[in-house]
Each structure stands twice: as C-alpha cells, then as structure tokens.
Amino acid sequence: MSNNDLENWTMAVGVFIGATALMVVVRMFFLRRLSNMANRTVTRVDDLVVKMLNRSYLVFKLAIAAYLASIFLVMPESWRLVVSRIAVASLILQLGIWGDTALRGWRSQLLATPGDGARKASSTILFFMMRLVVWTVAFLMTLDNFGFNITTLVASLGIGGIAVALATQNILGDLFASLSIMLDKPFEVGDFIIVGDALGAVEYIGLKTTRLRGLGGEQIVFSNGELLRSRIHNHKRMESRRVAFLLRVAYGTSEAQVTAIPAMIREIISSRADVNFERAHFFRYGDWSLDYEVVYHFKSPDYILHMDTQEQILLQIYRAFQREGIQFAHPLSVVRVAGAHDPVGGWPPAAPDPGGALRH
C-alpha cells in the first residue's frame, strides 16, 4: 500500500465516496418514484419492488464502493482478491435479501386476501421452501466465491436428498400435489366435484389429504396425489346444464298424435325463460314403445333449480298428453294363445313341402 502516491489515494477516496453517493441517490430516486406509482396503482408488483429497495443496506454499498476504489490503488494480488471476494459476497447477500423480501411480501399479500385456511397453509409451506432454496443457493455461491470447493458438498446434498426423497416419496408426492392444487386451483373449498364413483362438496384441502362431504353425509378422504391422478368433474364451474331425457309413447298412438308430439314439447319448453330448447325428435321404435328424445339447456348450474324446472316441464308434458289422449308406454310382452283354427304346427304355419305330392 506504500507504493501509492497522493494522486492514487485521492482517486480511490473520490471513487469510494462518489460510488457510495451515487448508489444512495439512485436508490432514493427509484424508491420515491416507485412509491408514488404504488400509491396510484392497484398492482402488487410495484409494492414488492418498494419493499425490496427498502431492504438495501449501506454496508453492501460500502463494500462494492471499496472494490471500485481499490482499482485505482496498487496493492498485492492477495489483498485485491480479498477485496473483490468481499464485494461479490456483499452483492450475493444483497440479492438474497431482495429475493427473501420479495417472497415474504408476496406471502403477506396472499395471506391478506380472503380464502380458505387450508390453501393458505399450503402456500406457507411453498414460500418456506422457496426461501430455503434462495438462501441455500446464496450460501453455496458465497462459499464458492471465497474459494471453497462446494462440489463435494453439493454431491453430498444431492445424495442425501435422493435418499430422503425415496424414503418419503409418498408424503412428498402428496405435498407437491397440494402445492399443485394451490397454484393451479382445479377446485376450491365449497366446490361440488365428482372423482370416479365418489361425489361431494370439498370440505378441506390439506397438505396431504383433501376431504369431501358426500351426499349421504359421510366424509370421503383422498390423498392429494391420488386425487390429481384422477379425472375430476367440477360442477361449481358449470355455466349451464345440458338436459336430455326420453319420452316413451305407447304403440297404437295415432299418426296425427305421433306427428304432433315434437311440436307440443317444443312449445312447452320454449315458453320458459330459464332454458334454451335444443330439439325433440321421434327417433326410435322401441321394443314396447315409440321413443322420443328431448334435449334442452338449463341456464343455471344450480342443481336444485334444475330439478325444479325439470319437474315443471315433465308435469306440463303429462297434462298435455292427458288433454290429447296420448298414452305413455309401459313395459309389456304379448302372449298369443293358440285358437281352434290355428295350424297344428303352431304359429306361424309351416311352409308347404312342394315335393310332398310326388312322394305320395
């Protein structure tokens, strides 16, 4: 250090003071501008950036300024290496603090929004794991910056992580499935879902299991991993219901009545404001009935309202059939009793043998 003259020291001190002042002024400028912007907007990104800038520490600015000042000084390479490593470590720690501040601010905003407690608990675990990753990476980069060989440490952590993952793969699978449910939101508490042959309202979403309340009042418990591997029908997000049903009319109904039935059904359903009529067709000769297929769309996902509307439509069709003398079909089979004049061989009669006369 004695090899430096007054000019070198003057330049170094000037760069140190100037760099520190510049970083402080730039931080204050951006902090003021972003704070004003955050007060005028409803977005959350600018709020997070303001929180990050508030966690900018002077000691890290001094370390970086000292490195810039050391460039203008003559010093041993070992000293220069120490100063540069301290500056890089300061930058790594400052970035780690910013990342940790952003994650904690994001978590606070998420917890402040209305929502179910189970999903918030899952998000807390997620943010803890993300913060752990941030600080683990920062720690390893700091060790590597100071010359430690982290290859063996990283390999040991990898082997240990694999062993832990194999031992707890089911638990970890359910945990990550819970995080997937929290991020992707295929359903929420209160949604009515169908999973395989089980159906019910979602009552609880936990870190390992999700619980439904079945129609019979029983509780149905799924592991989160099993749940995400299944096909889920979410009825709460249904905007409308497509309803299709059959009407079976008795054989013997007159041609005029058979022809008039589709128009009669169209008039009944189209008169309602809460449904959109699609079609009504005589589409099949059944074994014991003339079959009509009717399709309409109910404009609400509410199941009770849908059943009330279905009931009213069916009652109107029943009354219309009674007025027109149209009979509903019911399952039946026809048994024919042989009469005195029926052929001896039964019904239908056997075909005559054209070669019989020749044999006689």
Side-chain angles (χ1 to χ4, degrees):
M1 298 293 290
S2 58
N3 295 331
N4 295 284
D5 54 18
L6 181 60
E7 182 181 358
N8 292 345
W9 282 107
T10 303
M11 288 290 296
V13 172
V15 168
F16 177 79
I17 296 175
T20 303
L22 179 62
M23 286 185 284
V24 171
V25 170
V26 169
R27 171 187 173 274
M28 293 177 61
F29 172 77
F30 281 103
L31 187 59
R32 185 178 296 109
R33 292 289 298 272
L34 289 173
S35 297
N36 294 333
M37 185 185 301
N39 294 330
R40 295 193 306 267
T41 62
V42 295
T43 59
R44 300 177 179 178
V45 177
D46 45 12
D47 297 331
L48 292 178
V49 176
V50 170
K51 289 183 179 180
M52 292 168 60
L53 290 178
N54 282 325
R55 295 292 302 278
S56 300
Y57 292 102
L58 180 61
V59 63
F60 299 138
K61 299 183 182 70
L62 294 176
I64 296 175
Y67 168 72
L68 295 175
S70 68
I71 298 176
F72 297 92
L73 295 176
V74 178
M75 62 178 62
E77 287 300 322
S78 58
W79 287 32
R80 190 178 301 279
L81 181 62
V82 170
V83 173
S84 64
R85 285 180 172 177
I86 292 176
V88 172
S90 300
L91 179 60
I92 293 172
L93 290 176
Q94 182 63 77
L95 292 175
I97 291 173
W98 281 345
D100 183 75
T101 302
L103 290 174
R104 287 193 295 171
W106 185 16
R107 182 192 62 186
S108 299
Q109 292 176 353
L110 181 64
L111 294 179
T113 57
D116 58 278
R119 191 177 298 279
K120 291 181 179 180
S122 299
S123 65
T124 301
I125 297 297
L126 173 63
F127 287 122
F128 171 77
M129 295 177 63
M130 294 173 68
R131 292 179 62 194
L132 181 63
V133 169
V134 167
W135 284 114
T136 301
V137 172
F139 176 71
L140 293 176
M141 291 179 66
T142 303
L143 290 181
D144 182 66
N145 172 65
F146 281 110
F148 292 95
N149 185 6
I150 65 171
T151 305
T152 305
L153 178 60
V154 171
S156 301
L157 291 175
I159 295 174
I162 293 173
V164 172
L166 290 175
T168 61
Q169 55 182 336
N170 291 332
I171 297 176
L172 291 177
D174 291 331
L175 174 61
F176 284 109
S178 171
L179 298 179
S180 177
I181 293 173
M182 187 270 294
L183 295 174
D184 193 45
K185 298 182 179 180
F187 53 84
E188 297 178 343
V189 171
D191 289 3
F192 187 89
I193 65 174
I194 299 177
V195 184
D197 58 350
L199 66 162
V202 179
E203 191 175 58
Y204 175 80
I205 303 173
L207 296 178
K208 181 170 173 52
T209 62
T210 294
R211 303 164 196 172
L212 311 182
R213 182 62 61 179
L215 295 180
E218 76 280 7
Q219 188 179 72
I220 307 171
V221 181
F222 291 95
S223 67
N224 291 326
E226 176 190 359
L227 191 61
L228 287 189
R229 287 191 296 270
S230 304
R231 183 176 287 106
I232 302 172
H233 301 263
N234 192 335
H235 282 247
K236 185 178 179 180
R237 298 179 184 178
M238 183 189 308
E239 295 182 358
S240 62
R241 288 178 177 270
R242 183 180 184 272
V243 183
F245 62 92
L246 293 180
L247 285 177
R248 302 183 188 273
V249 178
Y251 277 106
T253 304
S254 68
E255 178 184 351
Q257 291 174 326
V258 170
T259 306
I261 287 175
M264 187 187 309
I265 296 174
R266 175 190 294 270
E267 182 181 357
I268 292 173
I269 297 179
S270 299
S271 63
R272 301 187 59 90
D274 54 355
V275 299
N276 289 325
F277 177 78
E278 182 176 316
R279 60 186 176 85
H281 292 98
F282 170 40
F283 83 109
R284 184 175 63 192
Y285 291 102
D287 294 336
W288 42 269
S289 63
L290 305 174
D291 295 341
Y292 290 80
E293 185 176 46
V294 182
V295 180
Y296 67 87
H297 295 268
F298 184 60
K299 297 180 181 179
S300 170
D302 189 282
Y303 184 76
I304 302 300
L305 293 178
H306 149 64
M307 290 304 298
D308 290 342
T309 301
Q310 176 84 340
E311 179 184 45
Q312 294 170 13
I313 289 174
L314 293 179
L315 287 175
Q316 288 179 311
I317 293 175
Y318 187 85
R319 297 186 189 108
F321 276 26
Q322 279 192 324
R323 286 195 309 268
E324 300 296 329
I326 301 173
Q327 292 187 352
F328 289 98
H330 53 84
L332 56 84
S333 59
V334 178
V335 178
R336 182 179 177 87
V337 180
H341 301 290
D342 287 338
V344 177
W347 193 269
D353 186 357
L358 293 177
R359 286 195 296 269
H360 290 292

